Amino acid sequence: MSISKSVVQQLLDNCTGWRPQMYFKSSLTALSHAMEDLVLNDFDTPLVIASFQRERFYRQESHRYRRIAQKSSQVYVLAAPETDFSNSSGDYETIAFRPDDALAQEWHLVIVGQHYASCLICRERNVPATENKYVSAMDTNRRFEGIWTFDRSVTMKAGKIMLSRIAVYRPELADKIAQALDLYITDSSITQATVQIESPLANPDPFVQRLVTYLQASQYKLLKANKSLAVKQQKEQLLNSVTDAVRRSLNTKQILQVAVQKLGEGIEVCRCIIYRCHENDEVATIDREFTSPGIKSVKGQKWQLANNPLFEEAIATTETVRVDNTFEDERLTTVAWERGTGEFFQNLIQNYSISSCLLVPIFYQGKLLGVMELHHCASEPIAWKPDDVALVNAIATQVGVALIQAEAYADLEDLNEQLEALDRTRSNLVAIVGHELRTPLSTIQVCLESLASEPDMASELSQIMLDTALKDAERMRNLVQDFLTLSRLEGGGVEWNIETLSISECIDLAISNVKARKLEQSMPQIKNLTSPGDLPLIEIDGEWLVEVLAKLLDNACKFTQADGTIAIAVKADGGKSLEVTVSDTGRGIETGSLETVFDRFYQEEGALRRSAGGTGLGLAICRQVVKNWGGEIWAESPGKDQGSIFHFTIPLKASKHKSPPKNSLSAKYQKSIKRNKK
Ligand code: ADP
């Protein structure tokens, strides 16, 4: 059997003007004990009715009730059974009710004696889900509402209600209950009782009231402290989980995604974004984002950073920038319009419903790595709590550390790869150089040995032997010279002599240099398509420029038939640089080799079947020289036998479009031509 009606409700329905009050469980325990002590310490023989929510609560007090039962024959204890609690009549009456009975949610103690009457009639309050985690942490924080009073008439009404409940559960006690009603709760006794009885217990000492207030207040304080502790703990957990997650990865993209996701979820914000940027960036693209359900995505959007007052403030202060109300914040309403970014912010706030935002710069040792933003997207702005700001700052620091670690790891991997490549190159180089030097050396040795062992050799044959030996000796000399030049260039051992020069003049010099070297051979026609007046002067080391041009022309001559054509052209690229092209109508380069031709010792036909001569180092030298002045060099070819075009660029630093100074090409270039001719 179970009754769904609450005793508290029933009593309140019967007592007009009485309002329920809130009590913590700890207060109810103290009050119940105090009331039970009244019975134990007095000579009265009162009616006592106690109702416990569960058998286990009664068990803790059973010894008290055995003592109370020695004082009075009218003692009733109610509880929802858990083990062996049942209806029984012993020292006192026990009444078992079902766990689905309304009594299971309530806490009652009714004491009606001749000298005093007091009751505690409460029911447990349902705690909202949001508070539950704090409250359930402490059983003593459970809350009840109801009436605790020394008012005799109210107590009698409570006693009457309780006795009628007991009569329903234990009908066999009808006579005993009737006796209790007659003795303690008759209408006449109520009338009698309304007359003030001069007993200290009828009028509880104000001290008791103070005690209850104090108990309640300290309980509130405890609850508050508990709540803030729980919030702190929750934040610490969030920080730890973000730190743990971001430190687990060495991939920057993954770090940012994990951070944005964990922070967004943990802090329950509408939108959280992270973007990488540097102090001087004009715009940033949003590529990492968390949004709560129903919030519009900003992924892929471009964020304006130049003249952005929030970004500038974050950089200047290296601290988080708080905007509690985007609609009214001066930085976004006035300053941004003055700086020309007003429209950007207006669109942002309207399109993405941002009413409050936090901008958190991610710094590591003074270097900006990116920015984290939190958006609140509801019509009502919120004021960011200092605790939340501190938490977001701490997370930004952790993200910064994780990013630096990931970058350092990536750099280390790059460095390792470079070192491995360097090691491979070094081994290759030793093998190649050895091979390249041995080949001409063996030819020279064979020729000289033949000449020495056969003094009677025909003069024509001995001449051929001598010529071959000399040619290979020359090849060795060139190889050693090119190799040393390349080593100097790569090792930074070259002193650059920068002068203001005319490019056409350098081209003319390079052409005459090449022609001088190939005096006896028939060679393709070389056209200089530049006209000196059209091009700006350049600031460059002329000797090296002539060297690059000569090497490219030399190659073009080598790989083009005598009836072909070679052309040199120069075009100015928007005042920023000059682009020089050396094109020929020769044998061309396969598409797959356009890049490898710049490798050291690359020769299409292989070193052993070299028909055109050369060291295989010419283009590698050209690339080093061009790289040094900040230019680029590359090759193009429509395919085999369709000619090649070599391009290189010269940045114009302080070049002016004016006539070349007199004697701009000094005597040393003429000397260098002569030297090369030798
Ligand atoms: P080499 O001393 O062998 O000319 P380079 O480094 O100058 O060495 O050139 C490397 C290789 O690139 C050449 O052996 C040749 O196979 C290819 N090459 C260079 N220039 C041209 C060109 N104008 N036409 C076709 N192939 C070329």
Side-chain angles (χ1 to χ4, degrees):
M1 181 187 306
S2 72
I3 301 170
S4 59
K5 182 137 193 185
S6 148
V7 175
V8 176
Q9 196 52 54
Q10 220 177 327
L11 181 64
L12 286 170
D13 292 346
N14 278 304
C15 301
T16 34
W18 282 77
R19 288 167 158 272
Q21 287 208 3
M22 215 280 291
Y23 298 95
F24 286 109
K25 185 188 164 189
S26 53
S27 309
L28 288 191
T29 310
L31 284 170
S32 297
H33 283 170
M35 285 163 69
E36 287 156 5
D37 285 351
L38 286 183
V39 179
L40 291 169
N41 298 325
D42 198 64
F43 47 84
D44 211 340
T45 51
L47 162 71
V48 179
I49 308 169
S51 171
F52 295 88
Q53 291 179 304
R54 296 277 179 281
E55 180 185 333
R56 76 187 94 123
F57 303 136
Y58 152 71
R59 290 255 161 257
Q60 292 167 10
E61 311 295 338
S62 58
H63 64 285
R64 288 179 146 255
Y65 279 84
R66 272 194 295 276
R67 281 167 58 211
I68 288 171
Q70 289 167 8
K71 294 259 172 187
S72 165
S73 59
Q74 287 285 358
V75 178
Y76 301 83
V77 173
L78 299 89
E82 286 173 320
T83 53
D84 57 355
F85 188 86
S86 60
N87 289 340
S88 72
S89 301
D91 294 341
Y92 46 91
E93 301 294 341
T94 55
I95 301 103
F97 56 81
R98 284 179 30 175
D100 59 352
D101 195 293
L103 289 175
Q105 306 301 321
E106 304 194 332
W107 176 315
H108 311 305
L109 179 58
V110 178
I111 298 170
V112 188
Q114 290 302 310
H115 299 140
Y116 57 86
S118 175
C119 71
L120 182 63
I121 305 287
C122 290
R123 73 176 150 210
E124 188 156 7
R125 223 180 74 174
N126 285 333
V127 180
T130 47
E131 277 184 42
N132 205 24
K133 52 186 171 215
Y134 313 118
V135 173
S136 62
M138 278 186 85
D139 183 60
T140 47
N141 282 340
R142 284 166 53 199
R143 283 182 238 179
F144 290 77
E145 61 185 359
I147 292 173
W148 165 62
T149 181
F150 278 79
D151 183 294
R152 181 170 283 270
S153 83
V154 173
T155 306
M156 281 182 178
K157 280 177 185 162
K160 204 170 175 182
I161 295 168
M162 290 305 289
L163 284 172
S164 62
R165 290 270 168 129
I166 295 167
V168 175
Y169 295 114
R170 302 270 318 262
E172 73 275 15
L173 296 180
D175 288 348
K176 192 169 177 181
I177 290 168
Q179 200 189 355
L181 282 167
D182 190 42
L183 258 174
Y184 301 100
I185 305 177
T186 51
D187 286 344
S188 59
S189 74
I190 294 174
T191 329
Q192 242 180 36
T194 45
V195 180
Q196 285 291 317
I197 298 168
E198 274 308 312
S199 159
L201 298 168
N203 178 23
D205 194 288
F207 174 76
V208 176
Q209 294 289 2
R210 277 208 303 277
L211 178 75
V212 171
T213 315
Y214 176 76
L215 248 169
Q216 296 279 87
S218 62
Q219 202 60 35
Y220 264 119
K221 271 189 205 154
L222 211 67
L223 182 68
K224 244 175 119 181
N226 221 26
K227 258 189 199 176
S228 86
L229 259 176
V231 170
K232 251 196 188 127
Q233 198 183 358
Q234 207 187 354
K235 289 191 172 159
E236 248 164 48
Q237 273 170 2
L238 175 64
L239 179 61
N240 287 345
S241 82
V242 175
T243 308
D244 193 41
V246 297
R247 292 281 181 93
R248 231 180 268 166
S249 175
L250 282 171
N251 173 320
T252 49
K253 285 186 182 159
Q254 211 176 357
I255 290 171
L256 296 176
Q257 191 52 48
V258 167
V260 97
Q261 192 71 28
K262 288 241 168 207
L263 178 63
E265 283 169 1
I267 212 162
E268 289 171 8
V269 73
C270 298
R271 186 187 296 114
C272 178
I273 56 174
I274 298 189
Y275 45 87
R276 298 297 304 268
C277 57
H278 300 292
E279 274 96 340
N280 299 325
D281 284 356
E282 303 239 314
V283 284
T285 307
I286 312 304
D287 57 351
R288 304 286 141 196
E289 176 192 56
F290 160 86
T291 49
S292 38
I295 298 294
K296 200 168 164 186
S297 166
V298 296
K299 212 167 174 183
Q301 293 300 315
K302 296 244 181 281
W303 243 228
Q304 204 158 325
L305 302 182
N307 296 319
N308 174 333
L310 302 185
F311 182 67
E312 283 172 358
E313 190 180 320
I315 304 291
T317 59
T318 71
E319 274 172 18
T320 294
V321 179
R322 261 176 68 167
V323 180
D324 287 346
N325 186 340
T326 55
F327 310 111
E328 287 173 6
D329 195 288
E330 226 185 35
R331 291 165 292 186
L332 305 185
T333 48
T334 322
V335 184
W337 283 103
E338 283 165 12
R339 309 291 315 273
T341 41
E343 202 177 334
F344 162 71
F345 280 113
Q346 197 179 39
N347 289 340
L348 207 66
I349 292 164
Q350 275 171 10
N351 292 346
Y352 300 107
S353 326
I354 305 170
S355 48
S356 310
C357 75
L358 265 192
L359 194 134
V360 195
I362 305 171
F363 278 100
Y364 184 79
Q365 294 192 340
K367 181 183 162 199
L368 182 71
L369 304 175
V371 170
M372 207 153 77
E373 281 187 27
L374 266 61
H375 298 169
H376 174 71
C377 306
S379 47
E380 269 305 301
I382 50 157
W384 297 100
K385 292 187 204 126
D387 273 5
D388 284 345
V389 177
L391 174 71
V392 177
N393 280 341
I395 289 176
T397 309
Q398 293 305 327
V399 172
V401 174
L403 283 177
I404 285 293
Q405 271 180 0
E407 281 176 4
Y409 180 74
D411 287 351
L412 210 66
E413 275 200 323
D414 274 2
L415 211 66
N416 262 347
E417 271 172 29
Q418 281 174 26
L419 279 175
E420 276 170 21
L422 216 64
D423 198 44
R424 275 198 303 275
T425 316
R426 194 189 55 81
S427 316
N428 284 347
L429 210 64
V430 172
I432 293 170
V433 172
H435 176 263
E436 292 289 321
L437 289 175
R438 251 201 322 270
T439 314
L441 204 59
S442 353
T443 317
I444 294 166
Q445 197 174 3
V446 168
C447 291
L448 293 179
E449 274 172 8
S450 305
L451 285 170
S453 62
E454 291 179 44
D456 306 330
M457 192 187 283
S459 64
E460 278 169 20
L461 189 58
S462 63
Q463 190 55 50
I464 291 174
M465 291 282 180
L466 274 173
D467 284 349
T468 310
L470 279 171
K471 216 170 118 197
D472 273 34
E474 169 72 6
R475 208 174 111 202
M476 271 179 74
R477 198 183 69 89
N478 287 343
L479 184 67
V480 171
Q481 188 157 338
D482 274 1
F483 190 68
L484 290 176
T485 306
L486 189 60
S487 299
R488 271 172 57 222
L489 282 164
E490 286 179 346
V494 172
E495 239 182 63
W496 302 92
N497 182 18
I498 312 296
E499 284 179 275
T500 306
L501 299 171
S502 145
I503 181 105
S504 318
E505 231 176 289
C506 293
I507 292 170
D508 286 339
L509 258 172
I511 293 173
S512 50
N513 186 342
V514 173
K515 280 185 179 164
R517 267 192 262 162
K518 299 191 186 289
L519 266 183
E520 296 110 50
Q521 301 163 22
S522 55
M523 53 185 285
Q525 189 197 356
I526 304 178
K527 293 182 190 164
N528 179 358
L529 303 178
T530 58
S531 44
D534 293 347
L535 294 167
L537 294 177
I538 48 175
E539 289 190 359
I540 206 158
D541 185 319
E543 198 170 347
W544 283 106
L545 173 59
V546 172
E547 187 76 24
V548 170
L549 286 164
K551 280 196 186 308
L552 294 178
L553 283 171
D554 207 31
N555 278 347
C557 290
K558 271 193 295 190
F559 302 112
T560 307
Q561 302 290 353
D563 56 354
T565 320
I566 297 166
I568 306 189
V570 183
K571 69 174 182 200
D573 178 16
K576 282 190 181 161
S577 62
L578 289 187
E579 184 180 326
V580 183
T581 49
V582 179
S583 51
D584 62 55
T585 56
R587 76 173 191 200
I589 301 168
E590 305 266 4
T591 317
S593 303
L594 287 171
E595 188 50 39
T596 37
V597 291
F598 292 96
D599 288 352
R600 278 176 284 201
F601 297 112
Y602 171 84
Q603 285 184 322
E604 198 196 12
E605 57 277 79
L608 289 174
R609 294 191 292 114
R610 187 184 301 109
S611 53
T615 61
L617 291 172
L619 289 179
I621 291 176
C622 290
R623 175 160 276 184
Q624 280 300 322
V625 177
V626 173
K627 242 168 80 177
N628 188 278
W629 67 53
E632 279 179 88
I633 184 165
W634 68 100
E636 257 180 7
S637 174
K640 213 163 172 51
D641 296 323
Q642 295 185 63
S644 319
I645 311 168
F646 281 82
H647 305 252
F648 69 87
T649 57
I650 305 169
L652 292 174
K653 284 165 194 150
S655 306
K656 288 171 207 105
H657 196 92
K658 63 175 187 196
S659 319
K662 274 187 191 154
N663 303 324
S664 61
L665 278 176
S666 58
K668 74 176 176 189
Y669 301 132
Q670 310 292 345
K671 258 192 256 157
S672 96
I673 297 166
K674 281 183 202 135
R675 197 180 63 218
N676 285 328
K677 272 188 208 161
K678 280 183 198 160

